[in-house]
Amino acid sequence: MTERMTGAQALVRALEHVGVDTVFGIPGGAILPAYDPLYDSTKVRHVLVRHEQGAGHAAEGYAQATGRVGVCMATSGPGATNLVTPIADAFMDSVPIVAITGQVASSMIGTDAFQESDISGITMPITKHNFLVTDADDIPRTIMEAFHIASTGRPGPVLVDISKDALQAQTEFRWPPTMQLPGYRPVTRPHSKQIREAAKLIAEAKRPVLYVGGGVHKARASTELLELAELADIPVVTTLMARGTFPDGHPQHLGMPGMHGSVSAVGALQKSDLIIGLGVRFDDRVTGDLSTFAPRAKIVHADIDPAEISKNRHADVPIVGDCREVITDLIAAIRASGQKGDYSDWWKLLNGLKETYPLGYDTAEDGSLAPQYVMERLSAIVGPDAYYVSGVGQHQMWAAQFIEYEKPGTFINSGGLGTMGFAVPAAMGAKMGCPDATVWAIDGDGCFQMTNQELATCAIEGVPIKIAVINNGNLGMVRQWQTLFYDERYSNTDLQTTRRIPDFVKLAEAYGCVGLRCERPEDVDAVIEKAMEINDVPVVIDFVVHQDAMVWPMIAGGASNDTIQIAVDMAPKWENEE
């Protein structure tokens, strides 16, 4: 069956066929032909955001909460370039999104026409793949290919840039089209020899650790991970992108490793003799000084992206494959071998670190609100079924440390790129993807001011997210570094928000939301409970916290993990563990 229609109609029809139900975007001249048939679609809901960056982050939040491909749309030139940050963010965190942009007419490409930018060239390093479409006949096939690439193998962003004349031209629509991706063959099945080698190293090890990253969640392998960990009795650490993939409450969980990780998690990696890395990048925020990272450990590294294997740390046993299949095969190999390591001394050491150096915090002498306490009460009152979506900075680390994550995918944040302004639009996208779920955005006063215009979108579209603004009046993480490394020279980090410039309660009300404020520890529970009772409009809570609250533990950037500090000039004692 074929049908005569415009390229723009073919675009909308193709989006319907690949199962798109929500698109976040803003119209403009070059993409306008696509918005006309979109107006008639009964299957695709378009959400009019207030900034293209918000559209991109909303698509990310939608994708991370649902596991489906998120979609954003923008016009040419500045509309497209405003998507660059969320595209880069999705690339770093392996989030499947498709960004559709309008382009000037094909005859004008390269002439510096009004609102022209080479968005394909600009985004080439930060997309899994991108397309420039100048022929209407290619639109359906390109859309099908884009969604296939974004969602298979290692997920990631794909850009589809379509010239205005291709959108306006007539074409014969056929579905399904035949994809033309001869070079794209993601490997999902791990090699059996490598699996056997990994199982052999696990049986021989005295101090093994399962180092779990976001790839395990992307593979939907949390159930298999739990089975592997319990079968082999191996301690587990979960990275920032894997919080919740292994339950926090499980006795084998040691916490999050890295720059602001727990002493037990950092110590486990440093003192291990075998690291089983699953869906991880061995990135600098986990390893610290790479030359001193886990000096006595052999490495088993499993990842679906062969480019990650041995990129930062040489893998003794490299395994290319989908983490779910890798873990399933590892379980079978361990069972078949009938061998199990004796890790009693190892557990004694790690449990000692866990008991001696738990996560904690000091309360301010003036009785002001501790941000960590806010996180603890959010966790207790809101519970493990909610989605927690954070911005970037101190509040992100406190959310990772002091909220208990028992279910995979319930902590959504910007990990690799560290994008301020991520939380509000991403929470909006998560809520629209999972409308029955409770979604909390945890933001800083600096991050919040970058994308809070999407409160208008939430209010108008009926998206009742809840936002906890951790307001310390500063760019908190930068101030922490200035305190520790720049002799308390606070250059351009004071935001003046504790002077209520702006007044976040009034700002929330101006956007059609409910605004609340909390400044005392004794009021925290009541304010959170009040927010939980409001489910018809967005709620913003201005939690005014002490400006000098810091994130601990901490490892200075580029320093060895052995130099971890639990407070200013206080380090854990590593002796007697050999």
Side-chain angles (χ1 to χ4, degrees), residues 243 375 388 390 394-405 411 442:
R243 301 291 289 110
M375 302 300 166
Y388 299 89
S390 86
Q394 288 181 313
H395 63 280
Q396 176 189 27
M397 294 299 105
W398 290 320
Q401 292 175 331
F402 291 98
I403 292 175
E404 293 186 6
Y405 300 100
F411 184 46
I442 299 168

mmCIF file of all heavy atoms in Angstrom, residues 243 375 388 390 394-405 411 442:
data_model
loop_
_atom_site.group_PDB
_atom_site.id
_atom_site.type_symbol
_atom_site.label_atom_id
_atom_site.label_comp_id
_atom_site.label_asym_id
_atom_site.label_seq_id
_atom_site.Cartn_x
_atom_site.Cartn_y
_atom_site.Cartn_z
ATOM 1 N N ARG A 243 22.644 3.849 40.339
ATOM 2 C CA ARG A 243 22.000 3.835 41.653
ATOM 3 C C ARG A 243 20.618 3.195 41.544
ATOM 4 O O ARG A 243 19.825 3.572 40.689
ATOM 5 C CB ARG A 243 21.900 5.271 42.190
ATOM 6 C CG ARG A 243 23.249 5.988 42.336
ATOM 7 C CD ARG A 243 24.118 5.394 43.458
ATOM 8 N NE ARG A 243 23.538 5.722 44.753
ATOM 9 C CZ ARG A 243 22.970 4.821 45.551
ATOM 10 N NH1 ARG A 243 22.903 3.557 45.211
ATOM 11 N NH2 ARG A 243 22.469 5.200 46.716
ATOM 12 N N MET A 375 17.286 15.345 52.227
ATOM 13 C CA MET A 375 17.311 14.129 51.409
ATOM 14 C C MET A 375 16.832 12.917 52.215
ATOM 15 O O MET A 375 16.060 12.084 51.708
ATOM 16 C CB MET A 375 18.727 13.863 50.885
ATOM 17 C CG MET A 375 19.319 14.981 50.060
ATOM 18 S SD MET A 375 18.349 15.366 48.585
ATOM 19 C CE MET A 375 19.088 16.944 48.150
ATOM 20 N N TYR A 388 13.412 10.109 41.282
ATOM 21 C CA TYR A 388 14.127 11.280 41.772
ATOM 22 C C TYR A 388 15.042 11.765 40.640
ATOM 23 O O TYR A 388 15.905 11.016 40.175
ATOM 24 C CB TYR A 388 14.956 10.939 43.010
ATOM 25 C CG TYR A 388 14.133 10.436 44.178
ATOM 26 C CD1 TYR A 388 13.859 9.078 44.324
ATOM 27 C CD2 TYR A 388 13.621 11.320 45.128
ATOM 28 C CE1 TYR A 388 13.105 8.605 45.392
ATOM 29 C CE2 TYR A 388 12.871 10.854 46.208
ATOM 30 C CZ TYR A 388 12.613 9.497 46.329
ATOM 31 O OH TYR A 388 11.869 9.029 47.384
ATOM 32 N N SER A 390 17.688 14.650 39.441
ATOM 33 C CA SER A 390 18.500 15.720 40.018
ATOM 34 C C SER A 390 19.193 16.551 38.957
ATOM 35 O O SER A 390 19.430 16.093 37.830
ATOM 36 C CB SER A 390 19.558 15.142 40.976
ATOM 37 O OG SER A 390 20.719 14.770 40.296
ATOM 38 N N GLN A 394 26.301 19.896 44.263
ATOM 39 C CA GLN A 394 26.221 19.313 45.600
ATOM 40 C C GLN A 394 24.916 18.565 45.819
ATOM 41 O O GLN A 394 24.893 17.452 46.367
ATOM 42 C CB GLN A 394 26.368 20.415 46.652
ATOM 43 C CG GLN A 394 27.766 20.982 46.791
ATOM 44 C CD GLN A 394 27.805 22.049 47.863
ATOM 45 O OE1 GLN A 394 26.954 22.938 47.901
ATOM 46 N NE2 GLN A 394 28.799 21.978 48.738
ATOM 47 N N HIS A 395 23.798 19.166 45.410
ATOM 48 C CA HIS A 395 22.501 18.528 45.636
ATOM 49 C C HIS A 395 22.417 17.172 44.930
ATOM 50 O O HIS A 395 21.764 16.252 45.415
ATOM 51 C CB HIS A 395 21.357 19.447 45.182
ATOM 52 C CG HIS A 395 21.376 19.747 43.719
ATOM 53 N ND1 HIS A 395 22.193 20.692 43.166
ATOM 54 C CD2 HIS A 395 20.678 19.208 42.688
ATOM 55 C CE1 HIS A 395 21.996 20.743 41.857
ATOM 56 N NE2 HIS A 395 21.088 19.849 41.547
ATOM 57 N N GLN A 396 23.072 17.056 43.779
ATOM 58 C CA GLN A 396 23.114 15.782 43.053
ATOM 59 C C GLN A 396 23.827 14.714 43.879
ATOM 60 O O GLN A 396 23.354 13.572 43.988
ATOM 61 C CB GLN A 396 23.839 15.992 41.726
ATOM 62 C CG GLN A 396 24.061 14.749 40.884
ATOM 63 C CD GLN A 396 24.979 15.032 39.705
ATOM 64 O OE1 GLN A 396 25.826 15.933 39.765
ATOM 65 N NE2 GLN A 396 24.810 14.301 38.627
ATOM 66 N N MET A 397 24.948 15.086 44.472
ATOM 67 C CA MET A 397 25.701 14.126 45.281
ATOM 68 C C MET A 397 24.934 13.767 46.554
ATOM 69 O O MET A 397 24.908 12.597 46.961
ATOM 70 C CB MET A 397 27.070 14.696 45.634
ATOM 71 C CG MET A 397 27.996 14.900 44.443
ATOM 72 S SD MET A 397 28.368 13.346 43.578
ATOM 73 C CE MET A 397 27.367 13.513 42.107
ATOM 74 N N TRP A 398 24.328 14.747 47.202
ATOM 75 C CA TRP A 398 23.529 14.445 48.394
ATOM 76 C C TRP A 398 22.352 13.533 48.047
ATOM 77 O O TRP A 398 22.006 12.639 48.805
ATOM 78 C CB TRP A 398 23.046 15.737 49.048
ATOM 79 C CG TRP A 398 24.151 16.524 49.700
ATOM 80 C CD1 TRP A 398 25.195 16.033 50.426
ATOM 81 C CD2 TRP A 398 24.309 17.951 49.678
ATOM 82 N NE1 TRP A 398 25.998 17.070 50.860
ATOM 83 C CE2 TRP A 398 25.478 18.260 50.415
ATOM 84 C CE3 TRP A 398 23.581 18.998 49.118
ATOM 85 C CZ2 TRP A 398 25.924 19.562 50.600
ATOM 86 C CZ3 TRP A 398 24.027 20.302 49.301
ATOM 87 C CH2 TRP A 398 25.188 20.581 50.039
ATOM 88 N N ALA A 399 21.742 13.779 46.878
ATOM 89 C CA ALA A 399 20.632 12.918 46.448
ATOM 90 C C ALA A 399 21.128 11.498 46.187
ATOM 91 O O ALA A 399 20.433 10.520 46.486
ATOM 92 C CB ALA A 399 19.979 13.488 45.197
ATOM 93 N N ALA A 400 22.328 11.365 45.634
ATOM 94 C CA ALA A 400 22.898 10.042 45.378
ATOM 95 C C ALA A 400 23.269 9.336 46.675
ATOM 96 O O ALA A 400 23.182 8.113 46.780
ATOM 97 C CB ALA A 400 24.129 10.169 44.475
ATOM 98 N N GLN A 401 23.679 10.110 47.682
ATOM 99 C CA GLN A 401 24.168 9.530 48.933
ATOM 100 C C GLN A 401 23.068 9.223 49.944
ATOM 101 O O GLN A 401 23.096 8.170 50.590
ATOM 102 C CB GLN A 401 25.169 10.493 49.592
ATOM 103 C CG GLN A 401 26.483 10.659 48.848
ATOM 104 C CD GLN A 401 27.354 11.720 49.502
ATOM 105 O OE1 GLN A 401 26.854 12.666 50.127
ATOM 106 N NE2 GLN A 401 28.657 11.580 49.361
ATOM 107 N N PHE A 402 22.102 10.130 50.101
ATOM 108 C CA PHE A 402 21.197 10.059 51.252
ATOM 109 C C PHE A 402 19.769 9.661 50.919
ATOM 110 O O PHE A 402 18.945 9.527 51.815
ATOM 111 C CB PHE A 402 21.217 11.393 52.005
ATOM 112 C CG PHE A 402 22.525 11.651 52.698
ATOM 113 C CD1 PHE A 402 23.488 12.457 52.122
ATOM 114 C CD2 PHE A 402 22.808 11.057 53.924
ATOM 115 C CE1 PHE A 402 24.711 12.694 52.752
ATOM 116 C CE2 PHE A 402 24.019 11.275 54.556
ATOM 117 C CZ PHE A 402 24.982 12.091 53.975
ATOM 118 N N ILE A 403 19.456 9.480 49.644
ATOM 119 C CA ILE A 403 18.174 8.871 49.281
ATOM 120 C C ILE A 403 18.448 7.396 49.030
ATOM 121 O O ILE A 403 19.430 7.037 48.373
ATOM 122 C CB ILE A 403 17.565 9.544 48.040
ATOM 123 C CG1 ILE A 403 17.157 10.982 48.374
ATOM 124 C CG2 ILE A 403 16.350 8.758 47.539
ATOM 125 C CD1 ILE A 403 16.657 11.780 47.190
ATOM 126 N N GLU A 404 17.608 6.538 49.573
ATOM 127 C CA GLU A 404 17.802 5.102 49.406
ATOM 128 C C GLU A 404 17.073 4.631 48.145
ATOM 129 O O GLU A 404 15.867 4.820 48.001
ATOM 130 C CB GLU A 404 17.291 4.349 50.630
ATOM 131 C CG GLU A 404 18.107 4.630 51.891
ATOM 132 C CD GLU A 404 17.691 3.763 53.064
ATOM 133 O OE1 GLU A 404 16.837 2.867 52.860
ATOM 134 O OE2 GLU A 404 18.217 3.981 54.160
ATOM 135 N N TYR A 405 17.848 4.021 47.250
ATOM 136 C CA TYR A 405 17.302 3.543 45.976
ATOM 137 C C TYR A 405 17.234 2.023 46.012
ATOM 138 O O TYR A 405 18.251 1.341 46.132
ATOM 139 C CB TYR A 405 18.173 4.026 44.810
ATOM 140 C CG TYR A 405 18.256 5.534 44.740
ATOM 141 C CD1 TYR A 405 19.368 6.208 45.234
ATOM 142 C CD2 TYR A 405 17.200 6.283 44.222
ATOM 143 C CE1 TYR A 405 19.439 7.602 45.196
ATOM 144 C CE2 TYR A 405 17.258 7.663 44.187
ATOM 145 C CZ TYR A 405 18.381 8.316 44.675
ATOM 146 O OH TYR A 405 18.444 9.689 44.649
ATOM 147 N N PHE A 411 16.664 6.799 39.983
ATOM 148 C CA PHE A 411 17.481 8.009 40.102
ATOM 149 C C PHE A 411 17.933 8.403 38.705
ATOM 150 O O PHE A 411 18.666 7.677 38.041
ATOM 151 C CB PHE A 411 18.691 7.777 41.004
ATOM 152 C CG PHE A 411 19.528 9.022 41.232
ATOM 153 C CD1 PHE A 411 18.940 10.234 41.554
ATOM 154 C CD2 PHE A 411 20.910 8.977 41.125
ATOM 155 C CE1 PHE A 411 19.710 11.373 41.767
ATOM 156 C CE2 PHE A 411 21.692 10.100 41.343
ATOM 157 C CZ PHE A 411 21.084 11.305 41.668
ATOM 158 N N ILE A 442 15.102 17.271 42.141
ATOM 159 C CA ILE A 442 15.950 17.808 43.201
ATOM 160 C C ILE A 442 16.968 18.715 42.534
ATOM 161 O O ILE A 442 17.810 18.259 41.765
ATOM 162 C CB ILE A 442 16.639 16.673 43.983
ATOM 163 C CG1 ILE A 442 15.575 15.778 44.630
ATOM 164 C CG2 ILE A 442 17.591 17.237 45.025
ATOM 165 C CD1 ILE A 442 16.114 14.494 45.180
#
